[in-house]
Amino acid sequence: MTSSTLELFHRIADKPSAVARRYVVDHALEDRVEFRNLAYEEAERDWTLHGGHSLPALWDGTHLHQGAEAVVARLQAVVNLGRDDA
């Protein structure tokens, strides 16, 4: 992962996670957002270390934004402002 990459923690069957993944794809953010499926131990461990308790969750290098509404709001800042420090 590069420093400008955001990490989206999700589960495939989780409907709120699908909302976040769809936002990434619909706004062509695939080059900025790394999908981290919690079906994999490493992803689940990293999510837990960041304080994860709700999905989807977006790690921006500083904060873990949890829940579909918070994740989409953070992603909107990337789209609207073209920056990662929102």
Side-chain angles (χ1 to χ4, degrees):
M1 182 181 92
T2 65
S3 61
S4 64
T5 302
L6 303 166
E7 294 178 78
L8 177 63
F9 295 95
H10 69 97
R11 290 191 195 279
I12 296 296
D14 180 61
K15 288 182 182 184
S17 291
V19 169
R21 289 192 310 269
R22 194 170 326 118
Y23 190 92
V24 169
V25 172
D26 288 350
H27 293 86
L29 295 172
E30 297 95 323
D31 62 334
R32 303 287 301 279
V33 179
E34 178 183 1
F35 287 6
R36 306 285 311 275
N37 187 343
L38 293 192
Y40 298 98
E41 272 185 45
E42 180 182 350
E44 187 161 5
R45 182 182 64 242
D46 291 346
W47 174 69
T48 301
L49 288 172
H50 292 313
H53 59 78
S54 299
L55 290 177
L58 186 74
W59 177 249
D60 65 8
T62 305
H63 297 97
L64 186 66
H65 307 268
Q66 299 188 75
E69 187 175 306
V71 167
V72 169
R74 178 63 180 91
L75 292 170
Q76 283 175 333
V78 173
V79 170
N80 294 338
L81 303 175
R83 65 181 198 203
D84 288 334
D85 61 351

